[in-house]
């Protein structure tokens, strides 16, 4: 004998039905705190030591890491130059 029961619940309804605690407010507060901390510190980030470490790795590996970094930053710059943040995406008719 096989019995299938289908229950259509949202995650919030399932959590309440099972008696699990709702941490959504705490989660939202934590995410906002992390977001503000990242926004606060990101402009002051000094990536030069990291880049020096990566490029010195490349010297000991025959330039492989340096080539990879150059390729990465070239691709990032190319992608960034193609992005037009002021224009809206065009709708296509199907």
């Amino acid at each position: 004998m096989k019995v299938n029961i289908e229950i259509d619940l949202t995650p919030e309804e399932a959590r309440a039905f099972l008696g699990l605690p709702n941490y959504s407010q705490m989660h939202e507060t934590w995410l906002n705190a992390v977001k503000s901390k990242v926004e606060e510190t990101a402009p002051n980030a000094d990536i030069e030591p990291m880049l020096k470490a990566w490029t010195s790795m490349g010297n000991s590996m025959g330039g492989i890491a340096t080539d990879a970094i150059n390729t990465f930053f070239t691709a990032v710059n190319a992608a960034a130059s193609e992005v037009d943040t002021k224009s809206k995406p065009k709708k296509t008719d199907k």
Side-chain angles (χ1 to χ4, degrees):
M1 176 184 214
K2 187 175 185 179
V3 177
N4 291 325
I5 299 174
E6 186 175 323
I7 301 173
D8 186 19
L9 295 174
T10 65
E12 292 80 17
E13 292 169 335
R15 188 174 22 256
F17 177 76
L18 295 173
L20 298 173
N22 184 358
Y23 292 116
S24 61
Q25 286 182 327
M26 184 178 73
H27 180 72
E28 189 68 30
T29 302
W30 184 81
L31 285 178
N32 288 336
V34 169
K35 181 181 175 185
S36 66
K37 190 68 169 174
V38 168
E39 289 173 346
E40 177 184 308
T41 58
N44 302 325
D46 185 15
I47 63 168
E48 187 176 345
M50 180 179 63
L51 291 176
K52 284 183 179 179
W54 285 357
T55 55
S56 67
M57 243 181 18
N59 293 335
S60 64
M61 295 174 59
I64 296 171
T66 304
D67 292 341
I69 291 169
N70 286 338
T71 303
F72 170 75
F73 282 116
T74 301
V76 168
N77 286 334
S81 66
E82 292 177 7
V83 174
D84 182 9
T85 58
K86 294 181 182 176
S87 66
K88 294 181 181 177
K90 296 179 182 176
K91 292 183 180 178
T92 57
D93 294 329
K94 291 184 180 180

